[in-house]
PDB file of all heavy atoms in Angstrom:
ATOM      1  N   GLU A 612      18.306   4.577  27.963  1.00 96.00           N
ATOM      2  CA  GLU A 612      17.668   3.266  27.769  1.00 96.00           C
ATOM      3  C   GLU A 612      16.922   2.855  29.046  1.00 96.00           C
ATOM      4  O   GLU A 612      15.811   2.335  28.977  1.00 96.00           O
ATOM      5  CB  GLU A 612      18.707   2.197  27.398  1.00 96.00           C
ATOM      6  CG  GLU A 612      19.511   2.489  26.133  1.00 96.00           C
ATOM      7  CD  GLU A 612      18.691   2.494  24.836  1.00 96.00           C
ATOM      8  OE1 GLU A 612      17.507   2.118  24.867  1.00 96.00           O
ATOM      9  OE2 GLU A 612      19.250   2.908  23.794  1.00 96.00           O
ATOM     10  N   GLU A 650      14.204  -2.577  25.623  1.00 95.00           N
ATOM     11  CA  GLU A 650      14.899  -1.403  26.166  1.00 95.00           C
ATOM     12  C   GLU A 650      15.902  -1.842  27.246  1.00 95.00           C
ATOM     13  O   GLU A 650      16.987  -1.281  27.353  1.00 95.00           O
ATOM     14  CB  GLU A 650      13.900  -0.376  26.729  1.00 95.00           C
ATOM     15  CG  GLU A 650      12.928   0.194  25.705  1.00 95.00           C
ATOM     16  CD  GLU A 650      13.591   1.006  24.585  1.00 95.00           C
ATOM     17  OE1 GLU A 650      14.811   1.285  24.655  1.00 95.00           O
ATOM     18  OE2 GLU A 650      12.889   1.350  23.627  1.00 95.00           O
ATOM     19  N   HIS A 653      18.883  -3.015  25.523  1.00 97.00           N
ATOM     20  CA  HIS A 653      19.698  -1.886  25.048  1.00 97.00           C
ATOM     21  C   HIS A 653      20.540  -1.325  26.198  1.00 97.00           C
ATOM     22  O   HIS A 653      21.711  -1.012  26.026  1.00 97.00           O
ATOM     23  CB  HIS A 653      18.826  -0.759  24.477  1.00 97.00           C
ATOM     24  CG  HIS A 653      17.933  -1.194  23.353  1.00 97.00           C
ATOM     25  ND1 HIS A 653      16.896  -0.429  22.886  1.00 97.00           N
ATOM     26  CD2 HIS A 653      17.941  -2.327  22.597  1.00 97.00           C
ATOM     27  CE1 HIS A 653      16.288  -1.073  21.895  1.00 97.00           C
ATOM     28  NE2 HIS A 653      16.899  -2.230  21.722  1.00 97.00           N
ATOM     29  N   GLU A 711      10.623   8.647  18.729  1.00 88.00           N
ATOM     30  CA  GLU A 711      11.544   7.829  19.522  1.00 88.00           C
ATOM     31  C   GLU A 711      12.729   7.380  18.670  1.00 88.00           C
ATOM     32  O   GLU A 711      12.562   6.923  17.548  1.00 88.00           O
ATOM     33  CB  GLU A 711      10.807   6.605  20.081  1.00 88.00           C
ATOM     34  CG  GLU A 711      11.682   5.861  21.072  1.00 88.00           C
ATOM     35  CD  GLU A 711      11.054   4.557  21.535  1.00 88.00           C
ATOM     36  OE1 GLU A 711       9.830   4.534  21.746  1.00 88.00           O
ATOM     37  OE2 GLU A 711      11.811   3.594  21.661  1.00 88.00           O
ATOM     38  N   VAL A 741      20.820  -2.471  18.568  1.00 95.00           N
ATOM     39  CA  VAL A 741      19.765  -1.554  18.989  1.00 95.00           C
ATOM     40  C   VAL A 741      18.992  -1.023  17.776  1.00 95.00           C
ATOM     41  O   VAL A 741      17.776  -0.799  17.840  1.00 95.00           O
ATOM     42  CB  VAL A 741      20.376  -0.371  19.788  1.00 95.00           C
ATOM     43  CG1 VAL A 741      19.303   0.607  20.212  1.00 95.00           C
ATOM     44  CG2 VAL A 741      21.130  -0.894  21.006  1.00 95.00           C
ATOM     45  N   GLU A 745      14.833  -0.318  17.375  1.00 85.00           N
ATOM     46  CA  GLU A 745      14.335   1.058  17.407  1.00 85.00           C
ATOM     47  C   GLU A 745      13.545   1.390  16.146  1.00 85.00           C
ATOM     48  O   GLU A 745      12.596   2.159  16.192  1.00 85.00           O
ATOM     49  CB  GLU A 745      15.477   2.064  17.619  1.00 85.00           C
ATOM     50  CG  GLU A 745      16.115   1.978  18.999  1.00 85.00           C
ATOM     51  CD  GLU A 745      15.163   2.294  20.147  1.00 85.00           C
ATOM     52  OE1 GLU A 745      13.999   2.656  19.908  1.00 85.00           O
ATOM     53  OE2 GLU A 745      15.577   2.143  21.309  1.00 85.00           O
TER      54      GLU A 745
HETATM   55 FE1  FE2 B1939      16.226   1.719  23.260  1.00 72.03          FE
END
Side-chain angles (χ1 to χ4, degrees):
E612 301 294 352
E650 298 296 352
H653 303 166
E711 189 186 321
V741 179
E745 292 298 356

